[in-house]
Amino acid sequence: MFLLLNPTSFLSLLITIITLISSTASQPTYTYHFCSDPQNSTENTNYDSNLSALLSSLSSKASLNSFYQDSSNGIYSLYLCRGDVSNNTCQTCINNATKEIQRQCASNGTAIIWYDECMLRYSIKNFLGVSQTSPRLLMSNTQNTTSPDEKNIDALALIYPLIVEIPYTKMMYGTDNKSASHDGSPNTYALVQCSRDINSSNCRSCLEDLNEAANRCCKSKIGWRILAPSCSLRYEEYEFYQPPSTPVPVPSAPGPEPVPGESNTKTWFIKISERWSIHLP
Ligand SMILES: *[C@@H]1O[C@H](CO)[C@@H](O)[C@H](O)[C@H]1NC(C)=O
Ligand SMILES: *[C@@H]1O[C@H](CO)[C@@H](O)[C@H](O)[C@H]1NC(C)=O
Ligand SMILES: *[C@@H]1O[C@H](CO)[C@@H](O)[C@H](O)[C@H]1NC(C)=O
Ligand SMILES: *[C@@H]1O[C@H](CO)[C@@H](O)[C@H](O)[C@H]1NC(C)=O
Ligand SMILES: *[C@@H]1O[C@H](CO)[C@@H](O)[C@H](O)[C@H]1NC(C)=O
Ligand SMILES: *[C@@H]1O[C@H](CO)[C@@H](O)[C@H](O)[C@H]1NC(C)=O
Ligand SMILES: *[C@@H]1O[C@H](CO)[C@@H](O)[C@H](O)[C@H]1NC(C)=O
Ligand SMILES: *[C@@H]1O[C@H](CO)[C@@H](O)[C@H](O)[C@H]1NC(C)=O
């Protein structure tokens, strides 16, 4: 088929493909945000400028650290990248998050924003080291499993060992998967992660809370995720993370600027085709 193209159109096809790949790889996928605690700037004249300085300092950390916390200037903050994302993706995600959170929660004392690849939060109240399971965001696939009225044994079998083991690891992040078997059970993939400001026992109880919530809301569904400030849990019948020990491809040269429309279309296409429904607390 390529033989039918002249070298110039082949080259432009190649560039288009590379552009598509690099833009979908590096563009973070926004999920949701919550703002709370109205902040009266007249009482705290420096709040806006302190916050914006803090956020740009967080953004500058993200190329080297997948987690960072800060408590300067009377504002407590942290960000966390998903355990499998590259430094480059982490940086891109946090950079976008610091801008979006300012746009969405301009004059609020507390805010949190989630992406597929990272999360960022800040507050005038000290939350560092405190396990928080709300506000929480619950997203589930609208499609039912083959036996929606029974416990989802496939999900439980995959997630429970992770909840028991992962809190005691350094990164507090882990994934597992199981291949489809002849009895008709599907491929399954699960991911758990805690924010590394909390300790192992808090991490474990945070994950147990979310797992209970998942059993209440989502046992009939083929895929779901629950995102809380201190931990998160996700289960799907397709691979949605980078498998461990697979080297993350590093682009040799910066690719062309991503074309905004294309990556947005891709994002929406994924969301619509999976038919997500979102439940808020
Ligand atoms: C965010 O702050 C604004 C301005 O202070 C306030 O009007 C709004 O109610 C706050 N939002 C929430 C959810 O607290
Ligand atoms: C902020 O607080 C000051 C002093 O307490 C008050 O005069 C002002 O009306 C408040 N502004 C808002 C937007 O609430
Ligand atoms: C990526 O980040 C890790 C820490 O999360 C650091 O050890 C490593 O040096 C970074 N890699 C590059 C290429 O900067
Ligand atoms: C902003 O930072 C200054 C010091 O740089 C501090 O005095 C002030 O209290 C901070 N403002 C708030 C709202 O925390
Ligand atoms: C953040 O990324 C989204 C696409 O995911 C983009 O539409 C938006 O303009 C970006 N925001 C900023 C402030 O860069
Ligand atoms: C974990 O932190 C909590 C406070 O959030 C504390 O009560 C608990 O003792 C800590 N557990 C361990 C094992 O350090
Ligand atoms: C999914 O299963 C639940 C529980 O049996 C049932 O109430 C619901 O109608 C089903 N939804 C779909 C889309 O099949
Ligand atoms: C699935 O699990 C196997 C064995 O634990 C592992 O080798 C493989 O990398 C995993 N695949 C993914 C996508 O996590």
Side-chain angles (χ1 to χ4, degrees):
M1 169 228 170
F2 287 154
L3 292 176
L4 297 173
L5 301 165
N6 65 36
T8 319
S9 56
F10 175 67
L11 193 64
S12 65
L13 177 66
L14 202 63
I15 289 174
T16 311
I17 291 170
I18 292 170
T19 309
L20 273 172
I21 292 170
S22 62
S23 64
T24 49
S26 60
Q27 202 69 3
T29 305
Y30 165 80
T31 306
Y32 207 77
H33 73 271
F34 288 103
C35 318
S36 55
D37 296 337
Q39 173 68 34
N40 185 338
S41 307
T42 359
E43 286 167 15
N44 284 315
T45 38
N46 292 326
Y47 183 72
D48 288 349
S49 58
N50 287 11
L51 181 61
S52 119
L54 167 73
L55 290 172
S56 65
S57 115
L58 284 184
S59 186
S60 74
K61 306 285 185 200
S63 63
L64 287 175
N65 308 282
S66 59
F67 167 80
Y68 195 81
Q69 65 182 56
D70 191 303
S71 56
S72 54
N73 283 352
I75 307 170
Y76 302 87
S77 61
L78 67 75
Y79 71 74
L80 175 69
C81 286
R82 209 176 66 194
D84 60 324
V85 307
S86 67
N87 293 11
N88 189 30
T89 302
C90 183
Q91 163 83 86
T92 310
C93 190
I94 297 303
N95 188 34
N96 191 285
T98 55
K99 295 188 174 110
E100 286 298 316
I101 206 170
Q102 279 183 101
R103 208 159 66 83
Q104 304 289 349
C105 307
S107 34
N108 296 92
T110 300
I112 182 165
I113 188 166
W114 285 286
Y115 291 74
D116 273 4
E117 299 85 1
C118 71
M119 62 87 81
L120 172 83
R121 55 191 293 220
Y122 66 77
S123 182
I124 45 175
K125 298 171 189 158
N126 188 0
F127 61 81
L128 298 172
V130 179
S131 178
Q132 288 185 355
T133 54
S134 75
R136 79 173 65 149
L137 176 70
L138 205 151
M139 292 167 79
S140 64
N141 198 300
T142 50
Q143 200 180 323
N144 274 352
T145 61
T146 47
S147 43
D149 296 320
E150 287 158 32
K151 278 187 175 173
N152 188 337
I153 303 292
D154 296 317
L156 291 171
L158 204 54
I159 290 165
Y160 189 70
L162 287 172
I163 292 182
V164 175
E165 176 192 347
I166 291 312
Y168 307 95
T169 63
K170 183 165 172 269
M171 299 300 280
M172 292 188 180
Y173 163 82
T175 57
D176 200 4
N177 72 94
K178 198 169 163 295
S179 306
S181 62
H182 296 301
D183 65 9
S185 65
N187 285 327
T188 55
Y189 302 84
L191 179 153
V192 309
Q193 184 167 27
C194 287
S195 173
R196 301 202 285 279
D197 63 310
I198 62 172
N199 64 26
S200 299
S201 42
N202 280 337
C203 172
R204 181 164 171 175
S205 52
C206 185
L207 292 171
E208 280 169 347
D209 277 5
L210 298 199
N211 195 37
E212 258 172 52
N215 290 336
R216 282 193 303 270
C217 71
C218 305
K219 70 179 168 81
S220 63
K221 302 302 172 191
I222 60 163
W224 44 263
R225 65 183 98 167
I226 305 190
L227 310 174
S230 296
C231 67
S232 65
L233 207 58
R234 183 170 176 186
Y235 172 80
E236 306 285 358
E237 292 186 0
Y238 62 91
E239 193 178 318
F240 59 92
Y241 53 83
Q242 191 83 31
S245 80
T246 304
V248 179
V250 178
S252 49
E257 277 297 298
V259 183
E262 284 167 349
S263 54
N264 284 347
T265 313
K266 176 103 168 87
T267 303
W268 282 109
F269 174 71
I270 292 172
K271 290 215 161 141
I272 289 168
S273 69
E274 287 171 353
R275 293 183 299 156
W276 288 110
S277 61
I278 296 190
H279 315 254
L280 298 173

